[in-house]
Amino acid sequence: MKILNYMALIGLGFTLAACGGGGSSSDSTPAPTPTPDVYKDVVGYIDGVDNNGSKITINGATYDASAATLEYKNRSISFDSLEQGMKVEIDTKNDTIVELELEPSVVGKVNSVSENNINVGGVALTFDNINQDIMVNDQVVVSTLTQANSIVVTSIAKTTVMSSTEVEGSVSQLDTTNQTFVVLGLTVDYANAQIDADETLANSVWVEVIGTEDGALLRASEVDVEDLSLIHI
């Protein structure tokens, strides 16, 4: 009798093991594949700003900017200073802006302003939507569309983040004797400018110039020669 009971217990054990193994196999499901984050670098123009929802539409796509770092030349700018038409570069994670950098073509003091014409830092510009609050001696940032033979202004806005003058564009009329060149119609004196040793000035190269307005001249303190293939217009 003891032998029969022992064999019965062994048989029951095999039965339970088989049932347990079958249940485990039928209930197992593959682990879900995580969706990878998508990172992008986007350069474009602001189509619209939603101050209430902290959203910005750029090149037709809307992004969440509620936690974004907003800067110009490593200086913080406020969300409510962003306007339609401004040129910006953004780093994004999925549909969220991580960092936004303002990319104006001209920054400087307003020398004169009329209904559709404005002179900023010595650069003469035409724009149909000049804000009536912009006055002579105001510091402004100007965004433009770059075209071969003309400057198309997309935005002009007041700023307090930079007091010097900045212009960005293609070099023409380079005079290595007098150390001057012209960009956006403005004559630049680069005699005392900092220029990286591996950068070479030449006609048609793209430059970013920072300096001080002196009459009809911009006396440059820094000239940065850009790689034209990396310039987004």
Side-chain angles (χ1 to χ4, degrees):
M1 179 65 76
K2 290 182 179 180
I3 295 175
L4 290 174
N5 288 340
Y6 179 71
M7 295 302 293
L9 288 173
I10 293 175
L12 179 60
F14 278 120
T15 302
L16 291 173
C19 291
S24 175
S25 174
S26 62
D27 292 340
S28 64
T29 56
T33 302
T35 302
D37 291 321
V38 178
Y39 296 88
K40 291 183 181 179
D41 176 26
V42 179
V43 177
Y45 295 83
I46 295 177
D47 299 316
V49 179
D50 178 2
N51 288 297
N52 295 325
S54 297
K55 295 184 181 296
I56 305 174
T57 303
I58 300 168
N59 296 350
T62 300
Y63 302 90
D64 176 9
S66 57
T69 299
L70 311 177
E71 292 183 334
Y72 173 65
K73 298 295 184 188
N74 297 317
R75 302 181 185 186
S76 296
I77 59 176
S78 63
F79 188 91
D80 58 10
S81 69
L82 300 176
E83 295 186 2
Q84 181 179 359
M86 283 183 167
K87 185 179 179 181
V88 295
E89 180 173 3
I90 59 173
D91 294 325
T92 68
K93 177 182 178 181
N94 302 324
D95 294 325
T96 299
I97 296 176
V98 178
E99 183 174 349
L100 178 148
E101 178 80 15
L102 197 60
E103 294 285 349
S105 299
V106 182
V107 179
K109 183 181 69 174
V110 175
N111 295 323
S112 64
V113 58
S114 60
E115 185 176 355
N116 297 320
N117 298 291
I118 189 169
N119 185 294
V120 178
V123 180
L125 302 163
T126 300
F127 188 45
D128 291 337
N129 298 312
I130 298 175
N131 193 311
Q132 293 183 352
D133 292 338
I134 293 177
M135 310 293 288
V136 171
N137 293 324
D138 283 342
Q139 190 80 1
V140 297
V141 291
V142 182
S143 294
T144 68
L145 284 168
T146 305
Q147 296 185 350
N149 299 314
S150 63
I151 304 170
V152 179
V153 176
T154 59
S155 169
I156 301 176
K158 290 184 181 181
T159 183
T160 58
V161 298
M162 193 162 183
S163 58
S164 57
T165 299
E166 177 186 335
V167 294
E168 182 176 321
S170 180
V171 169
S172 64
Q173 301 179 44
L174 176 63
D175 183 342
T176 56
T177 301
N178 294 310
Q179 296 185 291
T180 62
F181 59 83
V182 173
V183 60
L184 298 182
L186 178 65
T187 300
V188 177
D189 176 355
Y190 67 91
N192 297 311
Q194 176 185 339
I195 305 175
D196 288 347
D198 60 345
E199 297 179 345
T200 303
L201 279 174
N203 284 319
S204 299
V205 302
W206 195 271
V207 294
E208 182 180 288
V209 183
I210 296 175
T212 304
E213 190 179 357
D214 183 8
L217 288 175
L218 176 61
R219 298 200 183 277
S221 58
E222 181 180 345
V223 177
D224 185 17
V225 179
E226 306 275 359
D227 183 348
L228 192 56
S229 66
L230 300 179
I231 298 296
H232 306 271
I233 62 176

